[in-house]
Amino acid sequence: MTKLVLANLKMYLNNNIDTQNYLNDLKQEKDKFIVFPPIIYLDRFIQNGFITGIQNISFHKEGAHTGEVSALSATDLGAKYVLLGHSEIRQKGESDELINQKIKIALNNNLKVILCVGENLEAYNQNQTKEIINNQISKALKNIDEEIMISYEPVWAIGTGKTPTNNEIEDVVSYIKSLFNYKIKVLYGGSVSEKNIETLNQINNLDGFLIGYAATIPSSLKKIIEVAYK
């Protein structure tokens, strides 16, 4: 089964040359993955025909909010998706209640939402993964009926090179799907790379991958896409 591939480029593309090289290297694969570039280069990706999303949005509609980006602006530019609740932003103090507001404004502006959830190492060691995820989802999706996607990203696996076992991921994915009354797509993110993609791709109930650093290396992303499309 073909799986979705999402590339979160975070803040790794920092100049025009690197960005253009990235666009050139992946132009043949542009229809096979969804890319979340740095906001300053979002329009470049859209103009080159890539399927794009924005890495975050403001919960404000408009106004005096220096440095923030509205959902309406993202949609108007041509973005189709938005990542919300990523652990790197949660660690800066973003609450599930704030994420809930962002999801509502994203959906009202026709952005498809990928909600990131996951436990830290302490919770994992104490077998609290499902409790944490249930709490995050119930609060972030309060009074929301529209369909979204979920990305399971154990905080302790992001950027560490460590990943849960396939059985652990499969169990969490099944649990997440059991919380919804529609056929939700659940992705996995957290140190996904060209080295472990063959193994991770064997998880039958998984719908795709959210890749971070490995997605910034065109050769690695191509390998991941190749395996995900088997």
Side-chain angles (χ1 to χ4, degrees):
M1 180 186 73
T2 298
K3 291 182 170 63
L4 296 169
V5 175
L6 280 63
N8 178 14
L9 303 186
K10 306 188 181 186
M11 204 174 72
Y12 283 112
L13 295 181
N14 283 314
N15 59 68
N16 284 321
I17 295 175
D18 287 348
T19 301
Q20 191 58 52
N21 287 340
Y22 190 92
L23 290 165
N24 293 340
D25 287 342
L26 287 159
K27 61 184 177 182
Q28 298 300 321
E29 287 78 19
K30 65 182 179 181
D31 296 323
K32 296 181 179 179
F33 72 107
I34 302 166
V35 62
F36 297 79
I39 182 63
I40 197 168
Y41 298 122
L42 178 60
D43 187 54
R44 289 269 294 278
F45 280 81
I46 293 171
Q47 294 303 318
N48 279 274
F50 285 73
I51 306 167
T52 61
I54 189 167
Q55 296 177 16
N56 195 14
I57 56 168
S58 173
F59 69 92
H60 299 288
K61 292 182 179 180
E62 60 181 357
H65 307 289
T66 301
E68 299 196 42
V69 179
S70 73
L72 177 59
S73 296
T75 303
D76 187 59
L77 194 61
K80 304 297 183 184
Y81 297 83
V82 60
L83 288 178
L84 292 174
H86 194 281
S87 65
E88 292 166 358
I89 299 176
R90 287 179 184 268
Q91 288 169 1
K92 297 176 182 177
E94 184 170 81
S95 67
D96 291 303
E97 290 76 13
L98 181 57
I99 293 167
N100 176 260
Q101 295 181 54
K102 289 185 175 184
I103 292 174
K104 288 176 180 176
I105 199 167
L107 293 171
N108 286 339
N109 284 277
N110 299 313
L111 287 172
K112 297 177 182 178
V113 172
I114 298 95
L115 170 64
C116 301
V117 299
E119 80 286 8
N120 60 28
L121 185 59
E122 181 182 1
Y124 171 75
N125 288 333
Q126 295 179 359
N127 297 314
Q128 294 177 333
T129 297
K130 292 179 181 178
E131 178 184 344
I132 296 296
I133 288 173
N134 188 5
N135 187 55
Q136 290 174 336
I137 289 175
S138 61
K139 289 182 178 179
L141 296 182
K142 185 178 181 180
N143 298 324
I144 293 173
D145 297 320
E146 291 93 333
E147 294 188 7
I148 66 161
M149 284 190 278
I150 297 284
S151 181
Y152 169 50
E153 294 192 308
V155 178
W156 54 271
I158 297 174
T160 65
K162 301 176 182 179
T163 59
T165 67
N166 277 18
N167 287 339
E168 287 175 320
I169 296 172
E170 184 173 7
D171 183 50
V172 173
V173 170
S174 292
Y175 175 71
I176 292 172
K177 290 187 175 186
S178 75
L179 300 176
F180 292 83
N181 59 10
Y182 58 87
K183 194 174 181 180
I184 190 170
K185 287 184 170 61
V186 180
L187 318 173
Y188 172 75
S191 293
V192 178
S193 70
E194 75 280 11
K195 295 179 180 179
N196 61 23
I197 187 61
E198 294 275 4
T199 298
L200 292 171
N201 199 52
Q202 296 172 15
I203 303 172
N204 291 324
N205 65 349
L206 193 61
D207 298 294
F209 307 98
L210 176 57
I211 304 108
Y213 180 73
T216 69
I217 305 168
S219 60
S220 296
L221 183 56
K222 287 179 183 179
K223 173 62 177 178
I224 293 169
I225 291 171
E226 177 187 342
V227 173
Y229 268 69
K230 286 183 178 178

